[in-house]
Amino acid sequence: MQYAVRPRAAVRPAPLVPAVRPRPRRGRSLIDADALDVLHRAARVLLDDLADLTDRLVVALQEQEPAYRATVDHDSGATWQEVHRSLRHSVASLLDPRASREAARRCSWKIGATRAEQGLPLDALLHAFRLGGSMVWQALVEETSRTAPEDVRLLVHVAADVWNFVDEHCTLVADAYRQTERRLAWRRENRLRMLAGALLDGSSRIADLPETAQALELPEQGRYVVVAVAAAGPADGAAARAAVARDARVHWHTGVDVDHGIVLLGDDDPERCLPGADDPVPGARVGIGTAVAGLAAVGDARRLADTALRMCPPSGGTVRLTEHLPAALVMAAPELGQALADRVLGPLAPLEPADAEVLLETLEAWLECDGSAQRAGERLYCHRNTVLNRLRRYEQLTGRSLTRPADMVEISLALTARRLRAQ
């Protein structure tokens, strides 16, 4: 309970014709004054015997509210003191509302905030306050019945004020509880985000790994892969994340342009994991790194996933780094890749751009068709001899041989660097 009963203000009648004198409504004021006297007498007795009322309320909470039963069992002394403080402020408010109101409100607010931090259910807390209000009211009636039975009827005139007082503090407790709950949720979310961000950045300390594992609900030791997702809009990003996370245990860390998912793999999961990531989502680009061992290596896995993401075409799609390792080598050292492309493909620069483009397209098609001129011709809609003539011309212009393994490695990497630069 929290605010005391106030005497009702006398109603001032509206001005009437001077010749008519309204009669003052003294009967109601006298009843209110008498009711307050009865209330104050009973409240003083309750205040003197507050320890007994506290004991009875604690026992009632144990019997009627399971959540409080566990709280009392855990720390009976602290619970008794909390109940005693609340009752003392409530009964004092019946005697002197002006002097006790703010202290009573502060007490209720603190109880609501403290219980939210402890995780006590809000329904249990509100039940406790209403039960306390009920016991105080019952004690007032019992005390008046014992000392002056004829005055019990007067308490009816202050009952509404007493129960309004209980409702006010139930609302106050609920507000404090919810505000504290929101603050705690924000703090947990922010802490979780900081831990996951440090893990992905590779800046997480070894000492923080147990806390990080517990917060993310992921084992410290395990096989992980990081997935990088970039999308044109929120809906596309959500669809891509849902496809990736299908049947997978994943923690998502959202960013401004790229979202990263830390995916827990099973011991027997193949390198080509997360089959749902291959489902096309228009406007979404997905990069999947290689598997690493333990949360401590997630920072390396994130860098590999970002490398795979950079190889995705702007139109969208999924790139698995394990299937594009040569391109990843070029992507990891773009300056060296550019230097290699200039050296291997530079001799074609004097040609007309369209002529050079035909030679390079033919060379790429031939490599993608595993060196088959027939299949390359079908892809390019030309005869196989045309493909062979173009390849021989490339060899003549560059001085490289398509039958020499070392030259083939350089040519393949140079073409990859050219393609990545064009993206």
Side-chain angles (χ1 to χ4, degrees), residues 222-290:
R223 293 178 66 242
Y224 290 96
V225 68
V226 172
V227 181
V229 175
D236 296 334
R241 290 194 300 272
V244 169
R246 187 188 309 160
D247 300 326
R249 189 172 170 187
V250 56
H251 174 82
W252 286 103
H253 181 80
T254 58
V256 177
D257 299 315
V258 180
D259 298 336
H260 292 95
I262 305 172
V263 184
L264 176 65
L265 301 176
D267 294 335
D268 300 328
D269 283 353
E271 285 295 315
R272 189 177 178 81
C273 57
L274 303 174
D278 294 318
D279 295 343
V281 176
R285 298 160 54 235
V286 179
I288 303 177
T290 58

Side-chain angles (χ1 to χ4, degrees), residues 82 108-120 176-177 180:
E82 177 187 280
S108 294
W109 185 274
K110 183 178 180 181
I111 291 173
T114 301
R115 290 307 186 183
E117 292 175 350
Q118 295 172 348
L120 183 78
Y177 189 100
T180 303

Side-chain angles (χ1 to χ4, degrees), residues 11-26:
V11 179
R12 295 183 179 179
L16 299 177
V17 180
V20 179
R21 291 191 177 187
R23 294 182 179 181
R25 301 177 60 185
R26 298 181 179 275

Side-chain angles (χ1 to χ4, degrees), residues 160-217:
D161 289 334
V162 172
W163 286 106
N164 286 340
F165 169 85
V166 175
D167 289 341
E168 176 190 351
H169 282 263
C170 283
T171 301
L172 188 68
V173 165
D175 289 344
Y177 189 100
R178 293 190 180 101
Q179 285 191 28
T180 303
E181 201 172 38
R182 285 193 295 270
R183 176 174 54 81
L184 292 174
W186 177 87
R187 185 185 299 172
R188 285 192 297 269
E189 182 179 345
N190 192 51
R191 179 60 177 166
L192 184 65
R193 183 170 180 79
M194 290 177 60
L195 290 172
L199 202 64
L200 290 163
D201 290 341
S203 59
S204 181
R205 302 181 305 168
I206 297 298
D208 293 334
L209 288 180
E211 179 188 358
T212 303
Q214 182 179 8
L216 271 59
E217 298 182 354

Side-chain angles (χ1 to χ4, degrees), residues 122-140:
L122 178 57
D123 289 345
L125 182 58
L126 294 177
H127 181 208
F129 264 73
R130 294 190 181 99
L131 185 59
S134 177
M135 290 190 69
V136 168
W137 175 250
Q138 185 63 33
L140 292 171

